[in-house]
Amino acid sequence: MFTNTDINFEALKRKAYNGRWATLEDGIIPLTAADPDFRMSEEIEKGIIEYIKDGYLSYGPFSGIPEFKKSVAKHFNVEKKGSFTPDNVLAVNSAAQGMFLIAKYVLQPGDEAIIFDPVDFLFKKTVDAVGGTIRLCPVDSKTGDIDFERLVSLISPKTKLISICNPHNPVGRVYSKEVLKKISEIAAAHDLWVMSDEIWSDIVYDNIEFNTYSSVSEEAKRKSFTVFGFSKSFGIAGLRIGAVLCNDQELLDDFTEKSNFNSTIEGVSTLSQIAASVAIEKAKPWFKDFLTHLQHNRDLAYAMLNNSGILAPNHPEATFVIFPKIQNGLSSDAFAQHVLQEGKVAIVPGSERWFGKGAEGHVRICFSTSHEILKEGLHRIINSF
């Protein structure tokens, strides 16, 4: 499994958008958007087919079908130290939508939100979309370490939200229980909301322990939302399925009401929810093999880049992206453009647009592909200079 022969390149060229195979000229290797090159597991495919066999695709409960809510709660409780009930889960049409809805619920125009720098662009985009003001808290671009003194200094009377990315994209850091508890203490002391994006929380290497944010303390359960999705772990981005979790049922009920998930204005495809439920309940053996493959790819990418003299890599504890520092003096955009033109490899520049000011001087390389494609892509990058 997970070799070149397991990749349907013709299907990718028809279907893999978002800066990937379907959007690039032939001959270019995309190591860009964080989306696997491999097909979804057969269990998910069979689950979708089985669900539609009777010919009915009727309305489901607006907040999510029982199978979905139950499987997500169980997944967090068993794998991530959570304490959620099925009612604590709201189905949303992607982790990204969940982030937007939380920002909309928590922030009024002019309210401030603290986000990490660097971090995935969606954190900034969702705050901007609701009229909030961004305050950037630096994290180490190699280790993901948080500057807690700076974090506290950023808090003002206008601050309403701290948004965390755990595991961190693009650095790949898994934040420990102790770090998360410190964030919860700071948030509680200043009566702030916390949003924890945990879409990468399945893809953790070296048996590192993962703790969902709300599990680390009683303070963490207060005024906090957790975001989750299925596009990374199970390769079903096109089904647009995610979840918002919250231990405070009254809070989640109010959030559900104000986000319009109490009528046909909102609500998620039942087919997508079935696919996600099947992924959790039946596709974990497939996922474990996928995770093993990804860890081998991480090790390959680290070794090749570490010896390149071109890029100095970090060592991701999680995710399937690596975030090396440019060694030859080029800007992030110039480096990515050079690699595209001379090496025929597409990568994501560490520019402010994608990850914030703290990302400059880096590039992000996705390694959720075959060993063969990754090796060829990295060779091209290194040999293009």
Side-chain angles (χ1 to χ4, degrees):
M1 292 177 67
F2 308 114
T3 68
N4 256 13
T5 58
D6 299 304
I7 298 176
N8 184 336
F9 290 99
E10 289 307 313
L12 286 172
K13 288 172 183 175
R14 291 195 312 271
K15 297 181 177 181
Y17 285 84
N18 196 21
R20 298 180 67 240
W21 297 94
T23 64
L24 298 170
E25 296 176 7
D26 285 347
I28 295 174
I29 295 176
L31 303 178
T32 48
D35 200 14
D37 279 346
F38 303 103
R39 54 164 290 150
M40 64 183 172
S41 76
E42 289 186 0
E43 291 84 358
I44 298 173
E45 180 184 339
K46 289 175 182 176
I48 292 172
I49 293 169
E50 188 63 33
Y51 184 71
I52 63 175
K53 268 185 178 178
D54 60 18
Y56 286 92
L57 286 172
S58 302
Y59 287 117
F62 302 130
S63 66
I65 60 176
E67 299 97 310
F68 176 81
K69 294 160 79 79
K70 182 180 178 182
S71 61
V72 171
K74 178 183 173 185
H75 184 56
F76 267 76
N77 296 346
V78 172
E79 305 286 347
K80 309 174 198 296
K81 313 289 191 302
S83 59
F84 297 104
T85 69
D87 286 340
N88 293 158
V89 178
L90 173 68
V92 293
N93 76 10
S94 64
Q97 189 201 27
M99 293 170 66
F100 168 75
L101 291 171
I102 292 164
K104 186 178 179 183
Y105 181 76
V106 169
L107 301 173
Q108 297 295 320
D111 285 346
E112 294 177 355
I114 298 173
I115 67 173
F116 294 156
D117 179 34
V119 77
D120 183 82
F121 77 103
L122 285 173
F123 284 79
K124 182 178 187 299
K125 194 173 185 68
T126 52
V127 173
D128 284 343
V130 301
T133 300
I134 299 287
R135 303 299 299 274
L136 295 176
C137 179
V139 299
D140 188 288
S141 60
K142 185 173 183 179
T143 65
D145 287 345
I146 300 168
D147 183 340
F148 280 105
E149 286 188 17
R150 180 69 173 144
L151 175 62
V152 172
S153 75
L154 290 169
I155 297 171
S156 77
K158 291 184 177 180
T159 308
K160 296 294 185 291
L161 173 67
I162 299 173
S163 290
I164 61 178
C165 186
N166 185 33
H168 186 280
N169 173 21
V171 175
R173 170 72 177 271
V174 177
Y175 290 111
S176 68
K177 183 177 182 178
E178 291 70 30
V179 168
L180 297 175
K181 193 171 182 181
K182 192 165 185 178
I183 292 172
S184 76
E185 289 168 354
I186 293 169
H190 296 86
D191 196 27
L192 304 179
W193 296 88
V194 174
M195 189 276 289
S196 180
D197 171 23
E198 299 179 9
I199 193 171
W200 289 103
S201 57
D202 292 332
I203 302 175
V204 176
Y205 305 121
D206 305 311
N207 296 312
I208 293 173
E209 181 179 84
F210 181 85
N211 295 272
T212 188
Y213 173 76
S214 69
S215 72
V216 302
S217 67
E218 285 303 311
E219 291 90 347
K221 287 184 179 179
R222 290 186 59 250
K223 297 184 73 169
S224 74
F225 292 100
T226 301
V227 175
F228 186 63
F230 295 82
S231 57
K232 312 306 180 192
S233 312
F234 295 102
I236 53 174
L239 286 176
R240 307 293 297 172
I241 177 65
V244 171
L245 300 92
C246 179
N247 282 108
D248 185 326
Q249 195 58 49
E250 288 187 14
L251 178 57
L252 185 63
D253 289 345
D254 188 54
F255 174 82
T256 301
E257 174 81 18
K258 289 177 179 173
S259 300
N260 292 314
F261 277 78
N262 57 354
S263 72
T264 51
I265 294 173
E266 286 290 355
V268 180
S269 158
T270 54
L271 197 60
S272 299
Q273 293 178 66
I274 287 296
S277 300
V278 171
I280 289 175
E281 298 295 335
K282 296 183 179 179
K284 283 188 177 175
W286 175 94
F287 170 74
K288 287 179 181 177
D289 289 339
F290 182 41
L291 184 63
T292 298
H293 170 75
L294 290 173
Q295 185 158 331
H296 289 321
N297 272 6
R298 179 206 59 178
D299 295 344
L300 171 68
Y302 180 83
M304 288 184 67
L305 295 176
N306 200 40
N307 293 320
S308 70
I310 303 295
L311 291 167
N314 62 319
H315 195 261
E317 297 175 333
T319 80
F320 46 67
V321 297
I322 194 165
F323 196 57
K325 186 172 179 62
I326 298 165
Q327 297 288 89
N328 61 8
L330 289 180
S331 70
S332 296
D333 283 325
F335 189 97
Q337 193 61 33
H338 175 90
V339 166
L340 180 63
Q341 291 177 345
E342 302 299 325
K344 303 300 179 186
V345 181
I347 56 177
V348 183
S351 56
E352 184 175 0
R353 174 189 177 190
W354 296 115
F355 304 109
K357 294 177 181 178
E360 180 53 53
H362 297 75
V363 291
R364 196 189 76 172
I365 299 171
C366 177
F367 53 83
S368 59
T369 186
S370 70
H371 200 79
E372 299 94 325
I373 291 174
L374 178 62
K375 195 171 185 179
E376 171 64 20
L378 294 175
H379 269 307
R380 290 188 190 185
I381 291 170
I382 295 164
N383 293 331
S384 69
F385 291 94

